[in-house]
Amino acid sequence: KNEVEQSPQNLTAQEGEFITINCSYSVGISALHWLQQHPGGGIVSLFMLSSGKKKHGRLIATINIQEKHSSLHITASHPRDSAVYICAVRLDYRDDKIIFGKGTRLHILP
Amino acid sequence: ETGVTQTPRHLVMGMTNKKSLKCEQHLGHNAMYWYKQSAKKPLELMFVYSLEERVENNSVPSRFSPECPNSSHLFLHLHTLQPEDSALYLCASSQDLTGPINSPLHFGNGTRLTVT
């Protein structure tokens, strides 16, 4: 069983829809990252969370440490949001060990 | 401009070839990483360097040999690879490995490697 699970694996939605991607983890962590990987391979770090909620433009990330769960939300989705979204956790007992989820492939239709 | 530059973007090599991947970061970071991304698998950490010293080697086969000559440059030397080594190889950097607030990773665009 993976220590970091994402759902759904694939998501297709219409432009304008509200998108939610979930990440659950089974280990103690010090931080959680949401990453965006574009079709060409480049990866951008969207958020780093250790508690609560962060917002950047149309993107919102939340984390519940007690429930070991994080969500990434996209409001008013747009075709340019189409990418793979990856959840990654930094463990709290091994220096700088990061475990990645398999990613969620998002496709926004115009 | 991501601040982390990888070359080449694409590489095709035979199983007997020797090649090197290069990563350069202009962010003043002290930690650099090599990750491997195979199809339908999570990102796998291969090597971690902090202040030019290797701090982690995740059971990577010896046909992959990293080199970190200074804190801005990281190389991955490849020799006698196997077809299953075909993947996207990503370099990343972060400010450091310690501290109460963990530093985010900055990734390069990756090198897509095909071993024939």
Side-chain angles (χ1 to χ4, degrees), chain B residues 44-106:
Chain B
E44 301 170 61
L45 179 66
M46 300 176 72
F47 300 104
V48 180
Y49 276 82
S50 175
L51 298 172
E52 300 143 50
E53 287 197 20
R54 191 189 308 180
V55 296
E56 182 154 347
N57 174 358
N58 259 13
S59 302
V60 179
S62 60
R63 56 186 184 271
F64 294 92
S65 174
E67 179 191 0
C68 188
N70 55 62
S71 59
S72 298
H73 294 87
L74 186 65
F75 295 90
L76 187 63
H77 303 299
L78 316 170
H79 64 97
T80 59
L81 294 191
Q82 305 296 312
E84 59 263 29
D85 295 323
S86 298
L88 180 70
Y89 289 84
L90 288 154
C91 173
S93 70
S94 64
Q95 184 60 50
D96 52 43
L97 298 181
T98 61
I101 304 297
N102 294 290
S103 54
L105 290 169
H106 295 252

Side-chain angles (χ1 to χ4, degrees), chain A residues 2-68:
Chain A
N2 293 331
E3 292 164 298
V4 179
E5 295 277 0
Q6 285 187 238
S7 62
Q9 285 188 310
N10 294 283
L11 178 58
T12 299
Q14 290 294 139
E15 182 175 356
E17 285 190 40
F18 181 80
I19 304 298
T20 296
I21 299 171
N22 295 300
C23 176
S24 296
Y25 52 92
S26 58
V27 293
I29 72 168
S30 59
L32 181 144
H33 298 258
W34 279 104
L35 310 170
Q36 180 190 53
Q37 184 171 28
H38 298 286
I43 294 182
V44 174
S45 180
L46 297 175
F47 296 103
M48 184 180 67
L49 294 163
S50 53
S51 64
K53 174 179 171 179
K54 285 190 176 179
K55 184 176 188 293
H56 184 257
R58 295 180 293 106
L59 301 177
I60 303 166
T62 64
I63 187 168
N64 185 318
I65 297 295
Q66 287 74 31
E67 295 187 3
K68 295 188 174 179

